[in-house]
Amino acid sequence: MRQNKTMELMVGLFVAGGAAALFVLAMQVSNLSQLNHGDTYRVSAQFENVGGLKVRSPVKVSGVRVGRVSAIDYDIDRYQAVVEMQLEKKYDKFPEDTSASIFTAGLLGEQYIALEPGGAEDYLKDGSQIEITQSALVLEQLVGKFLFNKAAGSK
Amino acid sequence: MQRTPIREPGTTDMDAAQPNTETGDDILVRIRDMHFSRGERRIFDGVDLDIRRGKVTAIMGPSGTGKTTLLRLIGGQLAPDRGSVRVDGLEVPRLGRAELYRLRRRMGMLFQSGALLTDLNVFDNVAFPLREHTDLPEAMIRDLVLIKLQAVGLRGARDLSPAELSGGMARRVAMARAIALDPMMIMYDEPFTGQDPISMGALVTLIRRLNDALGLTSIIVSHDVQETASISDHVYVISEGRVVAGGTPDEIERSDSAWVQQFMRGLPDGPVPFHYPAPDYRQDLLDGAQEPRP
Amino acid sequence: MIDWLRSLGRDGIAVFEKIGRGNLFLLRTLAGLPEVLGRPRLLLAQLYSVGVLSLLIILVSGLFVGMVLGLQGYNTLVQFKAEESLGVVVSLSLVRELGPVVTALLFAGRAGSALTAEIGLMKATEQLSGMEMMAVDPIHRVVAPRFLAGVLSMPLLAAIFSAVGVYGGWFVGVGLLGVDDGAYWSQMQAKVDLYDDIWNGVIKSMVFGLVVTWIAVFEGYDAVPTSEGVGRATTRTVVHGALAVLGLDFILTALMFGD
């Protein structure tokens, strides 16, 4: 019976340890801790081209992460991509005429949305839309344009 | 698995407690024209056998004649190719799983090695069938186990593990386990093989005593002629897939078959030749001498 | 030539027969699971011998694998001035691949071989036959609890392996090589996704647990009941278990992370 008690204890420790490891993986290693980091509010923006932007890509202002992309969809009426982002509640004083651009971190890094605050009196709130947007730079288009201009200029 | 409450502990005479479905029949196991082969090899070729209730029946024969196989056929672990194996009025090969398991609870089987569960001690081994098949309180299981262990003289060994037991003790524990559920029948597979004279004597008397005290029916498969014959009421001798002789030990002893005589007396030569079939001895040696040595 | 073809045919039939037996065996084992759940003591004992006794090798291996990943990852990343991504490299390698796979391989060697040997010896010493004659189904009583314990233990062991490995990588990267502590964790948290990476890793280890334990208990139950037969069956458990894990890993990876 004494032996049984030790065994029970060890099995209990094993299961608890396994559960703790899963918890560590979820909270410490993965992005779960960032998913519901306090309350957020939703704003949307329309882009000609979102490039390599993905759901969960960061939204940054002055290089500081303030939210993330929550959905990317296509508006068939306006032929534009619609990007929804969740911004943290504590950053709730962005002017209405804030602009959004899609940038790339480094030359080949991941893409993110950079917000540039404007000067309007009213603030963005839940459900607002960012009107001024700048699409992602697509490397092939840039190179193509560059070559085209070169060719046109050398004529 | 369904659990049924155990029969009243203390009712030892199971024959009386079990309804006899073949009315007026004192034959518990009836085998008729039974054929069985394993792969290409024919093991039984038309065996007829009757085991009487309350008696100790011995089945003897040389090694490799499928005596153990016969027990497995009776226990339903194997099915015959043809013929009938009836135990207590039930046709064993045709039983469904649940019925077969219900029948097996009424039979005990003692394997050559004892087949004790090595991760349980002696007490838990004997308690195993009780715990698996009944919902008895632990206190009652303890009493029952101690009664069974007392019957085989090993009450003091209850805390030993199977690895600490001698071969004879392991078999006695296995006997205690086989009678744990108060079966109607016990089958012994080579119970005396490899035993020293003392434990052999203990096993021999134990088999007979348990049979009479508990009102069991016992089947002993063995090639230890003298010991087995000394406690049997009835003996069958099997050879080459057939029953070659049957009767009381005395009748078998006086059999006029040369083969049975050779087997019962353990003569080295006779109808069963000492030599495995081989070419002529002189010729064989001469052939070897003419071949160049490698 | 004819003989050769015939033996090829015979072997082929034997393989298919074995697969068929294995599948029937799995069905009978699964049928025994409700009974095991009704008797948690049986499961507890097996969780101990399958899970707890594998814990030490998993902890040590996880720690060292994590430390090696930290070292190797640092040496490569530092050339691109990207050593801050060390946490990402270590954690993704662990939770997606090495955690489930290495745990399954170690499990096949440690617990799988023990399961095969145990069940095979029970068969060789007629314990399984003995149970059958006592009207106890050995698949329900012996195999099913071991099977369930293996399936339950594997994801836990893999999670422990990965978690310990992440800290092993952290110890080497942050503690010894001077990667920034904040960068190690924050980059990791930014890139490792709960569903895509961790949950898929857990699914992988569940599949591996099922397959490796299945192979182990089946090889034991199907072993030729002699010392040699049990020895061979044990070897087969380790070899087939490892091959199955690696093959399935490719398929699962293609399905999960393919696009």
Side-chain angles (χ1 to χ4, degrees):
Chain A
M1 281 297 118
R2 183 160 29 84
Q3 196 190 348
N4 264 344
K5 287 244 169 66
T6 343
M7 196 178 78
E8 281 167 20
L9 184 69
M10 297 295 275
V11 172
L13 282 176
F14 165 59
V15 174
L22 279 172
F23 185 73
V24 164
L25 289 182
M27 296 309 294
Q28 179 79 327
V29 175
S30 86
N31 51 0
L32 179 66
S33 51
Q34 297 176 351
L35 287 186
N36 299 316
H37 210 270
D39 290 337
T40 58
Y41 64 103
R42 183 176 58 90
V43 297
S44 62
Q46 302 213 333
F47 293 93
E48 291 292 337
N49 190 336
V50 295
L53 197 72
K54 294 197 176 68
V55 172
R56 272 192 290 276
S57 292
V59 178
K60 296 181 178 180
V61 182
S62 311
V64 177
R65 186 187 170 113
V66 297
R68 63 187 175 85
V69 173
S70 58
I72 298 176
D73 203 359
Y74 186 67
D75 184 344
I76 191 65
D77 295 327
R78 299 167 69 169
Y79 304 122
Q80 277 186 326
V82 183
V83 174
E84 258 185 36
M85 49 203 127
Q86 300 284 341
L87 304 183
E88 288 176 36
K89 262 275 161 59
K90 61 178 172 177
Y91 307 116
D92 62 350
K93 293 204 166 57
F94 291 118
E96 240 182 0
D97 58 348
T98 296
S99 65
S101 324
I102 297 177
F103 287 151
T104 307
L107 190 56
L108 301 167
E110 66 164 351
Q111 292 190 298
Y112 65 96
I113 292 183
L115 299 183
E116 185 71 28
E121 302 266 311
D122 294 329
Y123 300 127
L124 288 175
K125 51 188 186 299
D126 192 52
S128 332
Q129 184 163 5
I130 295 176
E131 302 292 347
I132 311 158
T133 63
Q134 187 190 339
S135 286
L137 292 178
V138 179
L139 204 58
E140 289 90 330
Q141 281 182 357
L142 281 183
V143 173
K145 247 180 213 157
F146 176 74
L147 289 176
F148 183 77
N149 287 343
K150 266 278 209 202
S154 69
K155 207 178 266 182
Chain B
M1 192 180 304
Q2 68 193 33
R3 293 168 171 226
T4 53
I6 193 185
R7 298 174 286 276
E8 283 296 305
T11 50
T12 46
D13 191 346
M14 290 316 301
D15 281 353
Q18 291 302 322
N20 186 348
T21 38
E22 284 183 0
T23 40
D25 194 349
D26 69 341
I27 291 170
L28 182 61
V29 180
R30 181 191 294 269
I31 297 177
R32 286 291 175 270
D33 189 35
M34 192 264 290
H35 294 253
F36 180 78
S37 50
R38 186 171 273 155
E40 302 284 294
R41 224 181 114 220
R42 311 204 69 163
I43 295 180
F44 293 118
D45 200 7
V47 166
D48 295 318
L49 238 163
D50 288 329
I51 311 275
R52 285 172 191 283
R53 288 179 196 275
K55 305 287 186 200
V56 177
T57 305
I59 296 169
M60 298 201 245
S63 308
T65 44
K67 302 186 297 292
T68 305
T69 310
L70 185 66
L71 294 188
R72 289 185 188 272
L73 283 158
I74 295 174
Q77 284 190 316
L78 297 171
D81 301 336
R82 196 145 66 80
S84 137
V85 177
R86 292 176 87 81
V87 175
D88 201 25
L90 299 168
E91 183 67 40
V92 175
R94 262 192 256 128
L95 292 180
R97 234 177 86 84
E99 293 168 302
L100 183 62
Y101 271 36
R102 214 171 302 135
L103 176 64
R104 280 184 189 164
R105 280 187 221 174
R106 298 196 283 136
M107 4 174 145
M109 174 145 172
L110 202 77
F111 288 85
Q112 256 180 70
S113 57
L116 295 179
L117 302 171
T118 39
D119 56 340
L120 301 178
N121 66 15
V122 167
F123 182 94
D124 289 332
N125 258 291
V126 179
F128 181 81
L130 295 167
R131 288 189 176 136
E132 290 293 319
H133 291 308
T134 70
D135 284 321
L136 292 176
E138 197 55 33
M140 189 175 278
I141 287 185
R142 191 186 124 89
D143 290 349
L144 284 171
V145 170
L146 293 185
I147 291 170
K148 308 298 176 190
L149 279 174
Q150 173 73 14
V152 298
L154 290 176
R155 193 163 43 85
R158 73 185 94 158
D159 292 325
L160 298 184
S161 80
E164 295 171 288
L165 301 175
S166 71
M169 284 162 84
R171 278 176 216 190
R172 277 150 73 187
V173 173
M175 280 167 86
R177 186 178 66 178
I179 58 172
L181 286 177
D182 290 323
M184 59 179 177
M185 168 172 100
I186 300 195
M187 299 184 276
Y188 299 93
D189 186 5
E190 302 283 5
F192 309 124
T193 312
Q195 297 302 304
D196 63 73
I198 298 178
S199 38
M200 178 110 86
L203 285 170
V204 169
T205 42
L206 197 53
I207 290 174
R208 185 75 231 184
R209 227 177 48 213
L210 284 181
N211 189 75
D212 298 346
L214 304 181
L216 299 168
T217 302
S218 305
I219 307 175
I220 308 176
V221 146
S222 179
H223 46 234
D224 290 288
V225 174
Q226 298 312 322
E227 291 74 18
T228 312
S230 70
I231 53 165
S232 309
D233 300 307
H234 201 87
V235 176
Y236 286 102
V237 181
I238 297 189
S239 175
E240 303 194 341
R242 293 179 156 277
V243 175
V244 292
T248 63
D250 284 347
E251 286 165 11
I252 298 284
E253 201 84 30
R254 291 195 301 270
S255 162
D256 44 11
S257 151
W259 190 92
V260 173
Q261 284 298 330
Q262 186 194 357
F263 180 76
M264 294 301 285
R265 289 168 203 277
L267 304 175
D269 212 350
V272 179
F274 173 69
H275 291 290
Y276 193 82
D280 182 61
Y281 187 39
R282 262 176 72 91
Q283 193 57 43
D284 218 359
L285 289 178
L286 286 173
D287 284 353
Q290 282 157 12
E291 277 169 26
R293 279 170 194 277
Chain C
M1 186 63 191
I2 295 281
D3 279 352
W4 181 78
L5 278 177
R6 193 183 296 154
S7 83
L8 188 72
R10 201 164 44 221
D11 291 351
I13 290 171
V15 166
F16 278 109
E17 271 179 1
K18 183 154 185 175
I19 292 173
R21 282 203 306 279
N23 281 307
L24 285 177
F25 177 83
L26 181 65
L27 287 181
R28 288 177 63 192
T29 307
L30 293 177
L33 289 184
E35 202 186 318
V36 176
L37 293 176
R39 297 176 67 183
R41 298 232 132 245
L42 291 179
L43 181 63
L44 192 79
Q46 294 312 318
L47 275 176
Y48 180 78
S49 65
V50 168
V52 175
L53 294 183
S54 305
L55 207 49
L56 186 65
I57 189 173
I58 292 297
L59 284 172
V60 174
S61 313
L63 189 66
F64 279 109
V65 167
M67 286 165 68
V68 168
L69 279 175
L71 202 57
Q72 292 279 20
Y74 179 83
N75 286 340
T76 310
L77 290 171
V78 79
Q79 295 174 32
F80 306 104
K81 295 271 178 286
E83 66 269 22
E84 310 231 304
S85 301
L86 184 65
V88 183
V89 171
V90 170
S91 57
L92 278 187
S93 315
L94 281 168
V95 297
R96 281 184 169 193
E97 285 298 328
L98 294 174
V101 171
V102 177
T103 304
L105 294 179
L106 292 171
F107 186 86
R110 168 68 186 75
S113 58
L115 283 176
T116 307
E118 190 186 9
I119 295 178
L121 280 174
M122 288 183 85
K123 186 182 185 189
T125 53
E126 295 182 311
Q127 294 182 49
L128 298 185
S129 269
M131 274 191 197
E132 262 181 43
M133 284 306 297
M134 284 186 276
V136 175
D137 188 334
I139 292 190
H140 290 194
R141 178 63 171 69
V142 174
V143 173
R146 285 167 173 74
F147 177 78
L148 187 59
V151 173
L152 291 179
S153 294
M154 184 76 88
L156 296 178
L157 289 171
I160 292 173
F161 185 98
S162 298
V164 170
V166 167
Y167 282 98
W170 173 83
F171 173 72
V172 169
V174 177
L176 302 182
L177 298 173
V179 175
D180 181 58
D181 187 30
Y184 185 85
W185 293 113
S186 66
Q187 292 258 9
M188 185 188 297
Q189 286 165 2
K191 281 291 186 341
V192 179
D193 183 60
L194 180 70
Y195 176 78
D196 281 343
D197 300 313
I198 295 191
W199 180 236
N200 276 340
V202 171
I203 289 179
K204 265 190 182 180
S205 61
M206 284 174 174
V207 174
F208 294 161
L210 187 117
V211 171
V212 171
T213 321
W214 175 24
I215 290 177
V217 290
F218 175 63
E219 286 293 354
Y221 191 81
D222 203 48
V224 179
T226 59
S227 351
E228 195 201 2
V230 175
R232 280 167 186 245
T234 309
T235 313
R236 274 202 302 274
T237 292
V238 177
V239 174
H240 292 182
L243 289 178
V245 165
L246 295 173
L248 273 173
D249 184 46
F250 175 73
I251 295 172
L252 288 175
T253 306
L255 288 178
M256 289 170 172
F257 307 115
D259 46 24

